[in-house]
PDB file of all heavy atoms in Angstrom:
ATOM      1  N   GLY A 116      14.952  33.940 -12.701  1.00 90.00           N
ATOM      2  CA  GLY A 116      14.962  34.919 -13.785  1.00 90.00           C
ATOM      3  C   GLY A 116      16.381  35.251 -14.221  1.00 90.00           C
ATOM      4  O   GLY A 116      17.290  34.425 -14.123  1.00 90.00           O
ATOM      5  N   LYS A 117      16.545  36.495 -14.658  1.00 89.00           N
ATOM      6  CA  LYS A 117      17.852  36.881 -15.214  1.00 89.00           C
ATOM      7  C   LYS A 117      18.902  37.018 -14.117  1.00 89.00           C
ATOM      8  O   LYS A 117      20.079  36.824 -14.346  1.00 89.00           O
ATOM      9  CB  LYS A 117      17.708  38.229 -15.941  1.00 89.00           C
ATOM     10  CG  LYS A 117      16.983  38.081 -17.270  1.00 89.00           C
ATOM     11  CD  LYS A 117      17.157  39.339 -18.127  1.00 89.00           C
ATOM     12  CE  LYS A 117      16.182  39.298 -19.287  1.00 89.00           C
ATOM     13  NZ  LYS A 117      15.069  40.220 -19.153  1.00 89.00           N
ATOM     14  N   ASN A 118      18.424  37.375 -12.923  1.00 88.00           N
ATOM     15  CA  ASN A 118      19.381  37.694 -11.877  1.00 88.00           C
ATOM     16  C   ASN A 118      19.636  36.517 -10.937  1.00 88.00           C
ATOM     17  O   ASN A 118      19.370  36.576  -9.741  1.00 88.00           O
ATOM     18  CB  ASN A 118      18.865  38.901 -11.096  1.00 88.00           C
ATOM     19  CG  ASN A 118      20.014  39.780 -10.679  1.00 88.00           C
ATOM     20  OD1 ASN A 118      21.148  39.315 -10.631  1.00 88.00           O
ATOM     21  ND2 ASN A 118      19.728  41.021 -10.385  1.00 88.00           N
ATOM     22  N   LYS A 119      20.201  35.454 -11.501  1.00 92.00           N
ATOM     23  CA  LYS A 119      20.426  34.217 -10.738  1.00 92.00           C
ATOM     24  C   LYS A 119      21.305  34.431  -9.512  1.00 92.00           C
ATOM     25  O   LYS A 119      21.104  33.815  -8.474  1.00 92.00           O
ATOM     26  CB  LYS A 119      21.112  33.191 -11.650  1.00 92.00           C
ATOM     27  CG  LYS A 119      20.142  32.246 -12.282  1.00 92.00           C
ATOM     28  CD  LYS A 119      20.710  30.942 -12.753  1.00 92.00           C
ATOM     29  CE  LYS A 119      22.093  30.947 -13.313  1.00 92.00           C
ATOM     30  NZ  LYS A 119      22.319  30.053 -14.420  1.00 92.00           N
ATOM     31  N   GLU A 120      22.275  35.325  -9.660  1.00 94.00           N
ATOM     32  CA  GLU A 120      23.233  35.572  -8.575  1.00 94.00           C
ATOM     33  C   GLU A 120      22.545  36.099  -7.325  1.00 94.00           C
ATOM     34  O   GLU A 120      23.061  35.968  -6.224  1.00 94.00           O
ATOM     35  CB  GLU A 120      24.286  36.605  -9.019  1.00 94.00           C
ATOM     36  CG  GLU A 120      25.131  36.163 -10.196  1.00 94.00           C
ATOM     37  CD  GLU A 120      26.119  35.077  -9.806  1.00 94.00           C
ATOM     38  OE1 GLU A 120      26.736  35.219  -8.752  1.00 94.00           O
ATOM     39  OE2 GLU A 120      26.231  34.086 -10.556  1.00 94.00           O
ATOM     40  N   ARG A 121      21.400  36.719  -7.502  1.00 95.00           N
ATOM     41  CA  ARG A 121      20.725  37.327  -6.353  1.00 95.00           C
ATOM     42  C   ARG A 121      19.606  36.458  -5.794  1.00 95.00           C
ATOM     43  O   ARG A 121      18.933  36.849  -4.841  1.00 95.00           O
ATOM     44  CB  ARG A 121      20.183  38.716  -6.738  1.00 95.00           C
ATOM     45  CG  ARG A 121      21.302  39.666  -7.144  1.00 95.00           C
ATOM     46  CD  ARG A 121      20.878  41.093  -7.062  1.00 95.00           C
ATOM     47  NE  ARG A 121      20.429  41.443  -5.707  1.00 95.00           N
ATOM     48  CZ  ARG A 121      19.690  42.477  -5.429  1.00 95.00           C
ATOM     49  NH1 ARG A 121      19.280  43.272  -6.383  1.00 95.00           N
ATOM     50  NH2 ARG A 121      19.323  42.741  -4.188  1.00 95.00           N
ATOM     51  N   ALA A 122      19.397  35.286  -6.389  1.00 97.00           N
ATOM     52  CA  ALA A 122      18.372  34.377  -5.850  1.00 97.00           C
ATOM     53  C   ALA A 122      18.886  33.784  -4.541  1.00 97.00           C
ATOM     54  O   ALA A 122      20.098  33.696  -4.329  1.00 97.00           O
ATOM     55  CB  ALA A 122      18.105  33.257  -6.853  1.00 97.00           C
ATOM     56  N   SER A 123      17.958  33.379  -3.664  1.00 97.00           N
ATOM     57  CA  SER A 123      18.398  32.792  -2.394  1.00 97.00           C
ATOM     58  C   SER A 123      18.954  31.393  -2.631  1.00 97.00           C
ATOM     59  O   SER A 123      18.562  30.708  -3.584  1.00 97.00           O
ATOM     60  CB  SER A 123      17.232  32.736  -1.404  1.00 97.00           C
ATOM     61  OG  SER A 123      16.317  31.722  -1.773  1.00 97.00           O
ATOM     62  N   VAL A 124      19.844  30.969  -1.743  1.00 98.00           N
ATOM     63  CA  VAL A 124      20.365  29.600  -1.804  1.00 98.00           C
ATOM     64  C   VAL A 124      19.200  28.620  -1.595  1.00 98.00           C
ATOM     65  O   VAL A 124      19.145  27.546  -2.186  1.00 98.00           O
ATOM     66  CB  VAL A 124      21.472  29.401  -0.733  1.00 98.00           C
ATOM     67  CG1 VAL A 124      21.944  27.952  -0.692  1.00 98.00           C
ATOM     68  CG2 VAL A 124      22.639  30.336  -1.010  1.00 98.00           C
ATOM     69  N   GLY A 125      18.241  29.058  -0.768  1.00 98.00           N
ATOM     70  CA  GLY A 125      17.066  28.226  -0.517  1.00 98.00           C
ATOM     71  C   GLY A 125      16.278  27.942  -1.787  1.00 98.00           C
ATOM     72  O   GLY A 125      15.804  26.821  -1.996  1.00 98.00           O
ATOM     73  N   LEU A 126      16.167  28.948  -2.663  1.00 98.00           N
ATOM     74  CA  LEU A 126      15.425  28.731  -3.908  1.00 98.00           C
ATOM     75  C   LEU A 126      16.145  27.692  -4.771  1.00 98.00           C
ATOM     76  O   LEU A 126      15.518  26.849  -5.406  1.00 98.00           O
ATOM     77  CB  LEU A 126      15.279  30.064  -4.671  1.00 98.00           C
ATOM     78  CG  LEU A 126      14.356  30.020  -5.884  1.00 98.00           C
ATOM     79  CD1 LEU A 126      12.903  29.767  -5.468  1.00 98.00           C
ATOM     80  CD2 LEU A 126      14.423  31.326  -6.689  1.00 98.00           C
ATOM     81  N   TYR A 127      17.468  27.749  -4.727  1.00 98.00           N
ATOM     82  CA  TYR A 127      18.275  26.800  -5.502  1.00 98.00           C
ATOM     83  C   TYR A 127      18.127  25.372  -4.944  1.00 98.00           C
ATOM     84  O   TYR A 127      17.959  24.403  -5.686  1.00 98.00           O
ATOM     85  CB  TYR A 127      19.733  27.268  -5.440  1.00 98.00           C
ATOM     86  CG  TYR A 127      20.685  26.486  -6.281  1.00 98.00           C
ATOM     87  CD1 TYR A 127      20.574  26.477  -7.673  1.00 98.00           C
ATOM     88  CD2 TYR A 127      21.722  25.768  -5.695  1.00 98.00           C
ATOM     89  CE1 TYR A 127      21.463  25.765  -8.442  1.00 98.00           C
ATOM     90  CE2 TYR A 127      22.622  25.064  -6.460  1.00 98.00           C
ATOM     91  CZ  TYR A 127      22.487  25.060  -7.835  1.00 98.00           C
ATOM     92  OH  TYR A 127      23.369  24.355  -8.603  1.00 98.00           O
ATOM     93  N   ALA A 128      18.148  25.280  -3.602  1.00 98.00           N
ATOM     94  CA  ALA A 128      18.094  23.958  -2.954  1.00 98.00           C
ATOM     95  C   ALA A 128      16.654  23.464  -2.759  1.00 98.00           C
ATOM     96  O   ALA A 128      16.448  22.381  -2.209  1.00 98.00           O
ATOM     97  CB  ALA A 128      18.813  24.026  -1.609  1.00 98.00           C
ATOM     98  N   TYR A 129      15.703  24.238  -3.224  1.00 98.00           N
ATOM     99  CA  TYR A 129      14.269  23.959  -3.045  1.00 98.00           C
ATOM    100  C   TYR A 129      13.889  22.483  -3.269  1.00 98.00           C
ATOM    101  O   TYR A 129      13.235  21.873  -2.434  1.00 98.00           O
ATOM    102  CB  TYR A 129      13.534  24.893  -4.019  1.00 98.00           C
ATOM    103  CG  TYR A 129      12.041  24.846  -4.045  1.00 98.00           C
ATOM    104  CD1 TYR A 129      11.291  25.913  -3.569  1.00 98.00           C
ATOM    105  CD2 TYR A 129      11.358  23.763  -4.585  1.00 98.00           C
ATOM    106  CE1 TYR A 129       9.914  25.890  -3.623  1.00 98.00           C
ATOM    107  CE2 TYR A 129       9.982  23.732  -4.642  1.00 98.00           C
ATOM    108  CZ  TYR A 129       9.267  24.792  -4.155  1.00 98.00           C
ATOM    109  OH  TYR A 129       7.907  24.758  -4.206  1.00 98.00           O
ATOM    110  N   PRO A 130      14.321  21.868  -4.401  1.00 98.00           N
ATOM    111  CA  PRO A 130      13.891  20.480  -4.622  1.00 98.00           C
ATOM    112  C   PRO A 130      14.471  19.489  -3.623  1.00 98.00           C
ATOM    113  O   PRO A 130      13.894  18.415  -3.409  1.00 98.00           O
ATOM    114  CB  PRO A 130      14.390  20.156  -6.035  1.00 98.00           C
ATOM    115  CG  PRO A 130      15.054  21.360  -6.559  1.00 98.00           C
ATOM    116  CD  PRO A 130      15.084  22.430  -5.527  1.00 98.00           C
ATOM    117  N   ILE A 131      15.575  19.850  -2.966  1.00 98.00           N
ATOM    118  CA  ILE A 131      16.140  18.931  -1.961  1.00 98.00           C
ATOM    119  C   ILE A 131      15.236  18.927  -0.725  1.00 98.00           C
ATOM    120  O   ILE A 131      15.030  17.884  -0.102  1.00 98.00           O
ATOM    121  CB  ILE A 131      17.585  19.323  -1.585  1.00 98.00           C
ATOM    122  CG1 ILE A 131      18.443  19.391  -2.854  1.00 98.00           C
ATOM    123  CG2 ILE A 131      18.165  18.319  -0.585  1.00 98.00           C
ATOM    124  CD1 ILE A 131      19.861  19.821  -2.617  1.00 98.00           C
ATOM    125  N   LEU A 132      14.675  20.088  -0.400  1.00 98.00           N
ATOM    126  CA  LEU A 132      13.717  20.125   0.713  1.00 98.00           C
ATOM    127  C   LEU A 132      12.461  19.320   0.344  1.00 98.00           C
ATOM    128  O   LEU A 132      11.874  18.659   1.193  1.00 98.00           O
ATOM    129  CB  LEU A 132      13.372  21.582   1.070  1.00 98.00           C
ATOM    130  CG  LEU A 132      12.423  21.795   2.252  1.00 98.00           C
ATOM    131  CD1 LEU A 132      12.953  21.172   3.546  1.00 98.00           C
ATOM    132  CD2 LEU A 132      12.158  23.295   2.473  1.00 98.00           C
ATOM    133  N   MET A 133      12.101  19.349  -0.925  1.00 98.00           N
ATOM    134  CA  MET A 133      10.978  18.496  -1.366  1.00 98.00           C
ATOM    135  C   MET A 133      11.319  17.020  -1.158  1.00 98.00           C
ATOM    136  O   MET A 133      10.488  16.224  -0.718  1.00 98.00           O
ATOM    137  CB  MET A 133      10.671  18.721  -2.856  1.00 98.00           C
ATOM    138  CG  MET A 133       9.768  19.890  -3.128  1.00 98.00           C
ATOM    139  SD  MET A 133       9.364  20.045  -4.885  1.00 98.00           S
ATOM    140  CE  MET A 133       8.326  18.635  -5.193  1.00 98.00           C
ATOM    141  N   ALA A 134      12.556  16.654  -1.507  1.00 98.00           N
ATOM    142  CA  ALA A 134      12.980  15.257  -1.319  1.00 98.00           C
ATOM    143  C   ALA A 134      12.862  14.897   0.153  1.00 98.00           C
ATOM    144  O   ALA A 134      12.359  13.819   0.510  1.00 98.00           O
ATOM    145  CB  ALA A 134      14.420  15.084  -1.809  1.00 98.00           C
ATOM    146  N   SER A 135      13.278  15.833   0.997  1.00 98.00           N
ATOM    147  CA  SER A 135      13.219  15.580   2.432  1.00 98.00           C
ATOM    148  C   SER A 135      11.774  15.428   2.919  1.00 98.00           C
ATOM    149  O   SER A 135      11.469  14.550   3.724  1.00 98.00           O
ATOM    150  CB  SER A 135      13.919  16.721   3.155  1.00 98.00           C
ATOM    151  OG  SER A 135      13.696  16.606   4.521  1.00 98.00           O
ATOM    152  N   ASP A 136      10.887  16.287   2.411  1.00 98.00           N
ATOM    153  CA  ASP A 136       9.460  16.186   2.782  1.00 98.00           C
ATOM    154  C   ASP A 136       8.954  14.762   2.547  1.00 98.00           C
ATOM    155  O   ASP A 136       8.347  14.142   3.410  1.00 98.00           O
ATOM    156  CB  ASP A 136       8.599  17.105   1.891  1.00 98.00           C
ATOM    157  CG  ASP A 136       8.864  18.582   2.075  1.00 98.00           C
ATOM    158  OD1 ASP A 136       9.398  18.955   3.127  1.00 98.00           O
ATOM    159  OD2 ASP A 136       8.529  19.355   1.145  1.00 98.00           O
ATOM    160  N   ILE A 137       9.219  14.300   1.337  1.00 98.00           N
ATOM    161  CA  ILE A 137       8.644  13.025   0.900  1.00 98.00           C
ATOM    162  C   ILE A 137       9.343  11.858   1.606  1.00 98.00           C
ATOM    163  O   ILE A 137       8.700  10.945   2.130  1.00 98.00           O
ATOM    164  CB  ILE A 137       8.781  12.898  -0.634  1.00 98.00           C
ATOM    165  CG1 ILE A 137       7.991  14.022  -1.320  1.00 98.00           C
ATOM    166  CG2 ILE A 137       8.343  11.519  -1.113  1.00 98.00           C
ATOM    167  CD1 ILE A 137       8.381  14.258  -2.774  1.00 98.00           C
TER     168      ILE A 137
END
Side-chain angles (χ1 to χ4, degrees):
K117 286 194 193 107
N118 216 339
K119 264 202 325 217
E120 298 288 316
R121 298 200 58 199
S123 73
V124 175
L126 188 66
Y127 185 64
Y129 181 111
I131 305 178
L132 182 58
M133 276 183 69
S135 171
D136 294 339
I137 298 162

